[in-house]
């Protein structure tokens, strides 16, 4: 059990790194199968990258940290890889790239690459007694089998979706060797409201611009039994801090002020709610009418009332009670702090031979393929260093 490199975590980053690390490589995971998050991602079709991926779409204490790895292994490099393996793909929206057939195509590609590289893959295997030694690291597999490795790559991700085996293992290892942890939080996650105020319109969706702590995202908004979801909400959740309000702008492409003024002249007998239901879901208009004054006809609206209605629809302030937590969070915000990690190689600057890649680090991408691209890019940064 003497290896050049031990990679812990057989997810997207771990498999990608192990396949390119060179030498004798052991890839270990406690799950029954590799790439489980890949398998369930994108509705089973894996949103494997984004055409517009660059560092602006990532959160971190150090907003510059991701730049080097993303520039050295880009989204087009990964697209070239899947093209080489004959995996058909398509753009869905906003530059999001998906497999035509199944996310399993990506897993099969990575497993084939592991096999071609001669990587030893051990599943349902735990790593304990992890320690530094003169020639690298010592460890024990499943509490019984000792091993050594000159280099170790931690690719175990964050805490999101614990039912799939997510743990804080990466943080424990980082702390063991003196690294700081940026407080982990669920990200890309739905908001909850303790009063379940949207239960009556659960399932209603509409375009919206959602603002949280500065940044705004314009995509679909979904009302749920527990609160708010949909792409715009998931994006905003990565920037939200507990106790902060969020702002909803419903139907952001609609200029309600100009529209209602025009309709007041041309269609004055029409009810305000009838006109609003042409631009918003009728169930949502019914809900809003119980919380704001939407009574009367268009012809009776004063300029001041039009301004109040417009303000209510475009600056709807809400304070979530919380989020659905790691149970449904797509990723983890925070993680191993980057202040003692090389942005070019992902190697620890405190412990030579120790690398952290993927979601384990304090690098969190937007929804839409960005986090997978960070997995590929950070994995290749580490692999390049391991083979140099």
């Amino acid at each position: 059990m003497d290896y050049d490199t031990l990679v812990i975590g057989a997810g997207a980053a771990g498999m990608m790194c192990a396949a390119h690390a060179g030498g004798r490589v052991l890839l270990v995971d406690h799950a029954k199968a590799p790439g489980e998050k890949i398998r369930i991602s994108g509705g089973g079709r894996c949103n494997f990258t984004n055409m517009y991926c660059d560092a602006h779409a990532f959160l971190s204490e150090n907003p510059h940290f991701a730049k080097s790895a993303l520039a050295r292994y880009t989204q087009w490099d990964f697209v070239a890889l899947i093209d080489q393996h004959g995996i058909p793909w398509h753009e869905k929206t906003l530059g999001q790239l998906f497999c035509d057939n199944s996310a399993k195509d990506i897993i099969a590609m990575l497993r084939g690459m592991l096999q071609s590289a001669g990587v030893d893959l051990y599943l349902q295997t735990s790593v304990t007694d992890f320690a530094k030694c003169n020639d690298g690291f010592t460890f024990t597999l499943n509490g019984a089998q000792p091993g050594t490795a000159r280099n170790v790559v931690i690719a175990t991700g964050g805490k999101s979706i614990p039912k799939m085996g997510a743990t804080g293992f990466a943080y424990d290892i980082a702390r063991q060797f003196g690294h700081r942890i940026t407080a982990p939080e669920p990200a890309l996650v739905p908001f909850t409201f303790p009063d379940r105020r949207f239960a009556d319109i659960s399932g209603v969706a509409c375009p919206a611009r959602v603002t949280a702590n500065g940044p705004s995202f314009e995509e679909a908004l979904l009302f749920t039994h527990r609160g708010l979801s949909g792409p715009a909400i998931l994006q905003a959740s990565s920037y939200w801090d507990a106790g902060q309000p969020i702002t909803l702008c419903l139907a952001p492409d609609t200029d309600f002020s100009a529209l209602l003024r025009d309709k007041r002249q041309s269609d004055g007998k029409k009810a305000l709610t009838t006109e609003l239901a042409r631009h918003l879901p009728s169930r949502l208009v019914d809900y809003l009418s119980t919380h704001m004054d939407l009574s009367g006809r268009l012809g009776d609206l004063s300029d001041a009332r039009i301004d109040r209605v417009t303000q209510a629809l475009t600056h709807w302030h809400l304070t979530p009670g919380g989020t659905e937590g790691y149970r449904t969070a797509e990723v983890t915000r925070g993680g191993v702090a980057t202040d003692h990690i090389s942005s070019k190689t992902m190697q620890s600057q405190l412990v030579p031979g120790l690398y952290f890649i993927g979601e384990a680090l304090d690098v969190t991408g937007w929804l839409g393929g960005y986090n997978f691209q960070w997995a590929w890019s950070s994995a290749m940064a580490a692999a390049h260093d391991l083979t140099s």
Side-chain angles (χ1 to χ4, degrees), residues 79-244:
V79 167
L81 177 66
I82 68 168
D83 282 347
Q84 176 188 337
H85 287 265
I87 298 175
W89 55 273
H90 62 278
E91 179 191 359
K92 192 173 181 182
T93 57
L94 302 174
Q96 301 170 23
L97 304 187
F98 288 78
C99 297
D100 283 357
N101 300 320
S102 171
K104 293 178 181 178
D105 291 345
I106 300 289
I107 299 172
M109 177 190 77
L110 293 168
R111 293 202 71 163
M113 291 164 57
L114 293 173
Q115 186 173 8
S116 296
V119 174
D120 290 340
L121 174 60
Y122 283 27
L123 298 171
Q124 295 181 278
T125 301
S126 62
V127 180
T128 56
D129 304 323
F130 193 66
K132 189 79 174 72
C133 64
N134 290 336
D135 296 326
F137 301 85
T138 59
F139 55 90
T140 302
L141 299 183
N142 288 334
Q145 190 171 12
T148 62
R150 276 168 280 289
N151 304 287
V152 171
V153 180
I154 305 298
T156 52
K159 292 185 174 182
S160 56
I161 317 183
K163 70 179 181 180
M164 300 195 72
T167 70
F169 180 86
Y171 312 147
D172 295 338
I173 296 298
R175 290 190 187 96
Q176 178 182 339
F177 290 103
H179 282 275
R180 183 173 61 86
I181 305 300
T182 301
E185 298 282 350
L188 299 181
V189 61
F191 288 129
T192 58
F193 292 80
D195 56 7
R196 301 204 170 196
R197 66 186 67 179
F198 303 119
D200 289 342
I201 54 171
S202 178
V204 171
C206 71
R209 182 185 304 118
V210 181
T211 303
N213 201 20
S216 298
F217 295 92
E218 193 169 314
E219 290 187 70
L221 163 71
L222 175 67
F223 297 91
T224 73
H225 283 286
R226 294 187 180 91
L228 297 172
S229 189
I233 290 294
L234 299 187
Q235 295 279 40
S237 73
S238 294
Y239 293 85
W240 180 78
D241 291 320
Q244 287 186 333

